[in-house]
Amino acid sequence: MGFSCGIVGLPNVGKSTIFNALTASKVSAENYPFTTIEPNIGIVDVPDERIDTLAGIDRSEKKVYTTLKFVDIAGLVKGASKGEGLGNRFLSHIREVDAIACVVRCFTSKDVVHVEGSIEPARDIGIINTELLLADLETVEKRFDRTSKASKSGNKKLIEEAGFLKRLSSHLAEGKKAISIERNHEENQILAGLNLLTSKPAMYIANVSEDGLAGKSGEQDSIKQVESEALKEGAGIAVISGKLEAELAELDLKERAEYLKELGIKRSGLDEMIEKGYRLLNLLTFFTSGPQEAHAWTVVKGTKAPQAAGRIHSDFEKGFIKAEVISYRNYVKAGSEAAAREQGFLRIEGKDYIMQEGDVVYFRFNV
C-alpha cells in the first residue's frame, strides 16, 4: 500500500476523535493539548462498491479492498517552527506522510477549550499554514546557501538549482505554498528531494456538531470560512461531525445505515474523507478478479502496466509479457470474463500501456 495521509490541526479540534472513528481504534482523545505525542497509525479500507460487484460476478471467496494509511499527528501550536509545543517532532512526523488532512474546528462547546480562545477557522488555518511555510523557508534557505557556494565552481546544474531555490524562497516568503510554484521537470525533481511540508497535497476537514452537519446551527459561517480557504488553495474539503462519526463507529453496518437514514444523511462523512484523501494522492484503482478473490490495487496515475503488475508481485514486473485488460464497465456489462472475451471487450496491452481507473486485469509473465 504505502500511501499515507497525516491528520493535523491545532490541539482540541477533534483530530483524535476523527482518527478513532476512522480506524475504530481507541487512542486517547482528552481535552488538553498534546494528547497525541507519538503519531497513531491506522489503516482503513477505501469504500468501493465495484469490489462487491466483481465478487458477485465471479463468486469470489474473498474481497480485498484497497487501503489508505492515516497518521494522527500531535496538535500544532503557534511557534512550532521555532520549537514551541512539540516543535520539530511534530514537523518531522508531517514530513513522513504523502498528503495532509487538516482538521479545523467549527463546532462550539463549553466543555472543550480552544487553544486560541475562540472558534475562528480562517485564523486557525492561517496559524497552521504559517508554521509549515516558516519551516519550509528555513529548509530552502539552508539548501540555497550550500548550493550557492558550490555553484561558484561554475557547475551549470548547481547554478540552475540555486536559481530555482532562490525563486522558491521568495515564493514561500510571500506566503505561497511550495506545491503552487511553477516548475519544469528538473525543478520538480529538486522540489521532491527537499520533502517540503507545503509541497504535499492538502485537504481541509471542517469538524462540526451534529446540528452543524444538518445545517441547523450557527456553524455555517465557520464552514464557509474553511471552504473559502480551501478554494484559495485549490484544496479539497470534507464536512464531518467527529462526535457523530465516533457514535457510528460503535455500531455494526446495518445499525449504522439505519442511523444515518434516520438523520437524513446519505453516507458517512468518514467515507467521504477517505475517498477524497485517496483522490488527493492522485491514485487510481485497478482490479484482479476471479473465484479466489476480487482484489483492488492502488497505483499512482500515469503508472505503466509492468509497474502495476509489480504491485501484485515483483516477479510479475520482472517477467512482464502482456496485460489482458477489460474495463470495469464492460466487465459488468458482459456479466463474466468469458462473456467479455466473446464480446470483444478484452484488450491486449504491452509494456507502454498506462493503467486506467477501473481496469480489470490479468497479467501474463514469465521468469
Side-chain angles (χ1 to χ4, degrees):
M1 186 238 351
F3 300 103
S4 60
C5 186
I7 303 177
V8 304
L10 300 181
N12 297 343
V13 298
K15 290 187 304 85
S16 294
T17 299
I18 289 173
F19 178 85
N20 285 344
L22 265 172
T23 62
S25 61
K26 296 290 178 279
V27 301
S28 180
E30 302 299 329
N31 176 24
Y32 51 86
F34 312 126
T35 300
T36 309
I37 298 176
E38 293 302 325
N40 298 297
I41 296 172
I43 299 189
V44 300
D45 288 337
V46 175
D48 198 327
E49 294 178 354
R50 294 174 296 180
I51 279 288
D52 303 319
T53 302
L54 289 172
I57 290 172
D58 293 325
R59 298 181 180 179
S60 306
E61 294 178 5
K62 184 180 178 182
K63 294 186 286 188
V64 183
Y65 298 87
T66 189
T67 56
L68 189 63
K69 180 168 73 173
F70 282 96
V71 184
D72 179 26
I73 299 169
L76 179 149
V77 295
K78 191 183 295 183
S81 60
K82 301 301 181 184
E84 292 295 324
L86 296 179
N88 292 331
R89 289 178 67 187
F90 171 93
L91 297 172
S92 67
H93 292 150
I94 302 181
R95 293 188 195 283
E96 295 169 7
V97 301
D98 300 304
I100 296 173
C102 178
V103 179
V104 184
R105 179 172 167 179
C106 295
F107 68 88
T108 56
S109 172
K110 294 179 181 178
D111 299 324
V112 183
V113 297
H114 191 294
V115 71
E116 291 295 320
S118 61
I119 308 301
E120 198 174 320
R123 176 204 59 209
D124 296 349
I125 290 171
I127 290 172
I128 292 168
N129 286 340
T130 296
E131 295 305 322
L132 301 185
L133 285 164
L134 287 172
D136 281 351
L137 188 58
E138 183 178 355
T139 298
V140 172
E141 288 178 342
K142 286 180 179 177
R143 176 72 170 264
F144 172 74
D145 287 342
R146 292 197 304 271
T147 305
S148 182
K149 289 176 183 176
S151 70
K152 291 179 180 178
S153 64
N155 184 301
K156 184 179 178 182
K157 188 174 181 180
L158 290 175
I159 292 172
E160 291 175 349
E161 180 178 333
F164 172 67
L165 290 170
K166 185 176 182 180
R167 185 160 61 88
L168 178 57
S169 179
S170 297
H171 185 83
L172 294 169
E174 291 171 4
K176 300 173 185 176
K177 291 187 174 183
I179 196 171
S180 66
I181 192 170
E182 291 187 12
R183 54 196 185 272
N184 58 33
H185 176 72
E186 290 74 20
E187 292 169 342
N188 194 52
Q189 295 298 107
I190 296 169
L191 183 62
L194 290 167
N195 198 22
L196 299 179
L197 304 170
T198 64
S199 67
K200 301 176 186 297
M203 68 181 292
Y204 291 104
I205 312 299
N207 190 10
V208 302
S209 66
E210 288 184 38
D211 285 342
L213 195 63
K216 298 177 182 178
S217 73
E219 296 169 20
Q220 300 309 304
D221 286 343
S222 292
I223 295 171
K224 287 178 182 177
Q225 284 187 43
V226 181
E227 289 173 338
S228 176
E229 295 300 316
L231 185 63
K232 288 177 188 176
E233 295 182 28
I237 178 173
V239 179
I240 290 179
S241 170
K243 185 174 181 292
L244 172 61
E245 299 296 339
E247 293 171 2
L248 290 172
E250 301 290 333
L251 306 176
D252 62 33
L253 291 176
K254 185 179 179 181
E255 291 173 327
R256 195 179 304 174
E258 290 174 353
Y259 191 20
L260 286 171
K261 188 176 180 180
E262 285 178 18
L263 296 172
I265 299 171
K266 291 183 178 180
R267 66 171 183 165
S268 161
L270 292 180
D271 284 349
E272 181 182 356
M273 178 180 169
I274 292 166
E275 289 182 14
K276 286 189 175 180
Y278 189 76
R279 291 200 300 270
L280 186 67
L281 289 164
N282 199 34
L283 307 177
L284 64 79
T285 301
F286 71 91
F287 305 98
T288 53
S289 185
Q292 289 187 329
E293 68 176 26
H295 200 306
W297 303 91
T298 301
V299 291
V300 176
K301 289 179 181 178
T303 298
K304 293 185 177 180
Q307 288 68 52
R311 293 284 294 144
I312 301 173
H313 195 286
S314 58
D315 285 348
F316 285 26
E317 181 175 359
K318 291 175 186 175
F320 179 89
I321 298 173
K322 63 182 179 180
E324 298 179 0
V325 183
I326 305 168
S327 73
Y328 169 78
R329 184 177 178 181
N330 286 335
Y331 202 99
V332 174
K333 182 179 179 180
S336 71
E337 180 187 349
R341 287 174 180 270
E342 290 174 5
Q343 294 174 35
F345 291 140
L346 184 142
R347 310 187 313 273
I348 303 298
E349 303 289 358
K351 293 182 177 181
D352 291 330
Y353 176 68
I354 296 174
M355 300 297 293
Q356 299 299 308
E357 176 65 41
D359 282 344
V360 184
V361 192
Y362 179 78
F363 293 108
R364 294 198 176 276
F365 71 102
N366 183 32
V367 289

